[in-house]
Amino acid sequence: MWFIRRILKVSWKDKKTNDEVLDMANTGRSLYSTIRRRMKFTGHIYRARGIEHLAMTGKINGKKSCGRQRTTYVDSLNIWANLEQHTRSQFMRSSCERQIWKTMTVNACSRHGT
């Protein structure tokens, strides 16, 4: 957000909210396009079955950290796609089927008003 403020020469002293700055720039938040791109990238990685697939599924050996378990990349996509009833393995299996994955991606973005 700082770069838009800098382009528009809006000082931090002006007490403008981020939404006001976006309105001044005639742009909107691009969260939903980011979600769509993340889901497309995830499908690509899961179908490729490379080292990136191992990293995203958490199958790389290492020491488990203390405290609450972190939200994984896949879990955050599962929440955004409103598929909390699906397990991680069902989510990964559906990503291997290209047509099902495309449908899930479109539905995830259309549910949020895009």
Side-chain angles (χ1 to χ4, degrees), residues 39-49 95 98 101:
M39 287 191 73
K40 283 183 172 183
F41 176 71
T42 303
H44 172 73
I45 293 298
Y46 279 162
R47 285 188 295 274
R49 299 279 184 187
S95 68
R98 189 178 292 258
W101 189 254

Side-chain angles (χ1 to χ4, degrees), residues 16-34:
K16 299 276 185 184
T17 64
N18 289 339
D19 291 327
E20 290 173 351
V21 173
L22 287 172
D23 287 340
M24 289 170 56
N26 294 327
T27 61
R29 295 189 182 270
S30 61
L31 178 65
Y32 305 116
S33 64
T34 305

Side-chain angles (χ1 to χ4, degrees), residues 44-57 60:
H44 172 73
I45 293 298
Y46 279 162
R47 285 188 295 274
R49 299 279 184 187
I51 193 163
E52 298 89 358
H53 179 265
L54 291 174
M56 286 182 68
T57 54
I60 294 179

Side-chain angles (χ1 to χ4, degrees), residues 1-4 15 17 19 23-24 26 31 33 43 59 63-64 73 76 82-83 88 92 109 113-114:
M1 192 56 67
W2 63 270
F3 53 90
I4 297 176
K15 306 278 188 198
T17 64
D19 291 327
D23 287 340
M24 289 170 56
N26 294 327
L31 178 65
S33 64
K59 294 184 179 177
K63 194 172 184 182
K64 190 174 179 181
Y73 188 84
S76 65
N82 287 333
L83 299 172
R88 186 178 300 170
M92 289 189 308
C109 295
T114 57

